[in-house]
Amino acid sequence: MRQPFLPALSAPARWLIVATAVAATAACGGGDNREVAATPLNCDKLAGLAIPASAIGLPTAGGTVLTATQVDATGSGAALTPAHCLVVGRIAPVDTTAPDIRFNVALPAAWNNKAMMLGGGGFNGSIPNVRANVSNGPVDQPTPIGRGYATFASDSGHQANEYGSQDGTWGLNEEAVRNFGGDALKKTRDAALHIIKARYAASPQKSYFAGGSTGGREALAAIQRWPADWDGAIAWYPAWNDAAALLGGHRSNIALAQPGAYPNAPKRALVYRAAMEACDALDGVQDGLISDQRQCNARFDPATATVGGAPLRCAGGSDTGDACLSDAQIRALNVMNTDTVFNFKLASGETRYPGYNVWGADLGITSNPSPVQPVVTFLALGTTAPTMPMPRSAPYISVLVDQWIKYSVTRDPSFNSLLLDPENPGPYATRISELSRQLDTSTDISAFAARGGKLLLAHGLADVLVSSRATEDYYRRLQSQMGTERVKSFVRYYEVPGLGHAVSTAFNATWDSLTTLERWAEQGTSPSNQVTTDVTGVPGRTRPLCDYPQLPRYKGTGDVNVASSFVCAE
């Protein structure tokens, strides 16, 4: 049983006491805790360390260090994990029926005076590996802890069941909903800084956030809501408008659930091949990658496309086997490719969610022997059509949204999620609107920019879980709000051809984003001539990372697997 950090009082009374204390300390700089211990604490002295509620800038019942373990160095070179103190902690909720926030902090023996928070994925529910690399990080450069960072991460305020990152049961508790929506970021950051200051008797000189997908949303939420806490962020394929993304994904779920609409793996391979035949050479060379995705989206039509000289569409539109696509399957893919428009008001202000770049994406070609194919399939269309009850082998987004609708929206675990229309949700519109206030992140990061913060954005063009078109929207909004030149002074956005959600069988992109961010935030060296390296499709192949909206075009000569053979152009 959880041991309370406050006397046994009703939840409202506890909330009032904590909120009052936080408000009082906030007036005096609470949640920042710039004061530090006079002398550093050894690792073994951190166990049992109390984290007072006044040290955390949002209401909690305080926290504690559960364990602190000294860990020897392992590996070498870029794979070195240095000697460090691994801290396991918890932050207690105000609502005693809510779950804890569980978090880890890794404190290297040789500290570089910097801190990094790592984001999660899906609905979280487990603590990211604080000794791992940043999302899509390079394999030949040290990890954050290998560079000397104090690193930390949390489960965002709930512990997942057997559904893992797709578990949505936390939605039954409002404090857990707020924590997942972003509150846990501030609470974890402040608790981690309390521990860092105790260990080193010093505050970090620089603090960064790095994450992908939900972790990308968390990075953008952190710099938007608490800009004074962060000097820089790396956000890969960010689900920044998360409620909108869930609704957009659900429209695809409903389309794929229609009779005969779900394409099996051979049909996915067929549409992939057809798109490649039509679009691969648009960038000047046939290299197995579609770089000019915008032109491909404009010209490719599965109803009229050919593959190997034969029509992609089945004769008459009925399903005649794996050598073609039926009209039902074409309709489902076209739904994925088009916008979801909300015919009701979201409190976040979002009015739509853009379609996905289906043409040229690996939707789950299970026959591919690539070692990352199972992950690609899991995150794309899975192996089973959406239905009720929702199979675990259905598309990742199908399981995710089914859980969200049942636990966060309707609060009815027996509800048939496929009956909820994401564009016209009827009686559930008000609840969805309320949830959007937490889940959708504002694009106003002017305060972060004003204090000199730097942001790196990146997204794969073949992502069918979080649409790269949504990240384009985010970046264009920044430009509209602040002007192109102002945005260029603190943000870069890159799109990677061939990369799906986090991984890819075609171009499994890596990029030394952390070094780029360090040089920009600490030395004033703005990013230029950035390069991404494939580690799976054609291992060692490189491509330029082009400032959006530019894309890599082949120069006409040179090794097609070398970035210098391409130029960035619109």
Side-chain angles (χ1 to χ4, degrees):
M1 177 179 296
R2 178 184 300 118
Q3 295 300 312
F5 289 85
L6 291 176
L9 299 171
S10 67
R14 289 165 60 88
W15 180 274
L16 179 62
I17 291 172
V18 175
T20 303
V22 169
T25 54
C28 301
D32 187 28
N33 297 311
R34 294 185 183 278
E35 69 280 359
V36 296
T39 57
L41 291 180
N42 291 332
C43 184
D44 61 337
K45 300 299 184 183
L46 293 175
L49 179 71
I51 305 165
S54 60
I56 300 173
L58 289 175
T60 72
T64 189
V65 172
L66 301 175
T67 63
T69 306
Q70 185 62 44
V71 180
D72 293 336
T74 59
S76 62
L80 171 68
T81 298
H84 62 280
C85 178
L86 181 62
V87 169
V88 176
R90 72 171 185 182
I91 302 168
V94 175
D95 175 3
T96 57
T97 66
D100 289 332
I101 298 171
R102 299 290 178 133
F103 68 97
N104 291 346
V105 186
L107 304 161
W111 186 39
N112 66 1
N113 296 300
K114 294 187 282 188
M116 171 166 286
M117 185 171 185
L118 299 172
F123 285 150
N124 294 326
S126 62
I127 304 171
N129 183 0
V130 293
R131 293 171 285 197
N133 211 341
V134 298
S135 298
N136 295 80
V139 296
D140 60 347
Q141 295 295 323
T143 61
I145 192 173
R147 302 175 189 227
Y149 280 85
T151 59
F152 54 94
S154 82
D155 60 11
S156 82
H158 63 272
Q159 296 74 52
N161 61 18
E162 67 274 11
Y163 276 71
S165 66
Q166 295 166 300
D167 168 37
T169 55
W170 50 271
L172 295 173
N173 182 277
E174 282 302 307
E175 187 168 347
V177 169
R178 291 191 299 271
N179 279 334
F180 174 75
D183 285 5
L185 303 174
K186 176 62 173 173
K187 296 173 184 179
T188 302
R189 178 265 179 191
D190 288 352
L193 253 68
H194 186 81
I195 294 168
I196 289 170
K197 293 168 186 176
R199 171 66 184 92
Y200 300 115
S203 298
Q205 295 176 1
K206 293 289 182 181
S207 294
Y208 302 126
F209 198 119
S213 194
T214 291
R217 170 182 68 84
E218 291 169 340
L220 298 179
I223 65 173
Q224 195 277 323
R225 294 178 62 182
W226 303 284
D229 292 348
W230 306 101
D231 299 288
I234 301 166
W236 273 94
Y237 32 91
W240 63 274
N241 46 354
D242 199 21
L246 290 165
L247 294 170
H250 192 48
R251 180 167 163 265
S252 295
N253 294 341
I254 294 171
L256 291 167
Q258 300 307 303
Y262 182 75
N264 63 17
K267 289 175 181 286
R268 300 173 202 178
L270 202 67
V271 71
Y272 179 85
R273 181 182 165 195
M276 284 295 168
E277 289 180 5
C279 302
D280 186 355
L282 293 176
D283 61 355
V285 65
Q286 288 187 319
D287 58 355
L289 299 173
I290 296 175
S291 295
D292 197 340
Q293 189 68 52
R294 286 182 288 278
Q295 188 177 171
C296 183
N297 291 342
R299 68 186 295 175
F300 185 81
D301 181 354
T304 59
T306 60
V307 56
L312 178 62
R313 177 178 180 264
C314 296
S318 298
D319 195 338
T320 57
D322 292 346
C324 59
L325 266 62
S326 70
D327 283 351
Q329 290 150 5
I330 289 173
R331 279 194 297 270
L333 295 177
N334 279 330
V335 166
M336 293 180 66
N337 179 51
T338 53
D339 293 0
T340 299
V341 179
F342 310 134
N343 299 314
F344 67 106
K345 184 177 180 180
L346 287 177
S348 66
E350 297 303 313
T351 59
R352 54 183 277 280
Y353 189 75
Y356 307 88
N357 295 329
V358 179
W359 320 131
D362 183 343
L363 301 176
I365 305 172
T366 56
S367 59
N368 191 324
S370 170
V372 301
Q373 184 64 57
V375 178
V376 172
T377 300
F378 172 66
L379 294 173
L381 295 193
T383 56
T384 307
T387 188
M388 285 288 116
M390 190 63 69
R392 294 293 305 280
S393 53
Y396 185 93
I397 191 67
S398 302
V399 179
L400 199 73
V401 175
D402 178 59
Q403 292 272 306
W404 183 65
I405 290 173
K406 288 178 176 177
Y407 295 104
S408 285
V409 178
T410 67
R411 296 301 187 41
D412 178 2
S414 65
F415 185 81
N416 183 343
S417 63
L418 292 175
L419 296 179
L420 190 148
D421 182 345
E423 296 179 307
N424 301 282
Y428 302 108
T430 299
R431 175 60 178 166
I432 292 172
S433 179
E434 292 171 355
L435 291 167
S436 76
R437 199 185 304 274
Q438 280 278 346
L439 296 177
D440 290 346
T441 301
S442 170
T443 57
D444 181 5
I445 54 173
S446 55
F448 174 73
R451 68 180 302 269
K454 307 299 181 187
L455 170 62
L456 298 176
L457 285 167
H459 208 134
L461 285 173
D463 191 335
V464 292
L465 182 55
V466 175
S467 176
S468 63
R469 301 180 205 173
T471 309
E472 293 171 3
D473 284 348
Y474 182 93
Y475 186 70
R476 286 195 294 261
R477 287 189 200 180
L478 293 181
Q479 293 178 315
S480 177
Q481 293 163 6
M482 307 178 71
T484 300
E485 289 305 311
R486 178 69 179 112
V487 171
K488 189 176 180 180
S489 71
F490 78 104
V491 184
R492 290 292 187 278
Y493 174 42
Y494 307 111
E495 294 184 328
V496 184
L499 176 63
H501 193 76
V503 293
S504 171
T505 57
F507 193 99
N508 205 12
T510 61
W511 170 39
D512 191 4
S513 56
L514 181 51
T515 296
T516 301
L517 182 62
E518 289 173 329
R519 289 173 177 170
W520 201 9
E522 298 168 21
Q523 302 169 23
T525 303
S526 59
S528 63
N529 301 318
Q530 297 296 295
V531 171
T532 178
T533 302
D534 181 9
V535 293
T536 301
V538 180
R541 170 173 55 174
T542 58
R543 284 290 183 277
L545 285 174
C546 298
D547 292 344
Y548 177 84
Q550 294 184 327
L551 53 89
R553 293 192 182 278
Y554 186 57
K555 292 179 178 179
T557 59
D559 188 342
V560 73
N561 292 320
V562 177
S564 60
S565 300
F566 293 77
V567 61
C568 290
E570 291 190 38

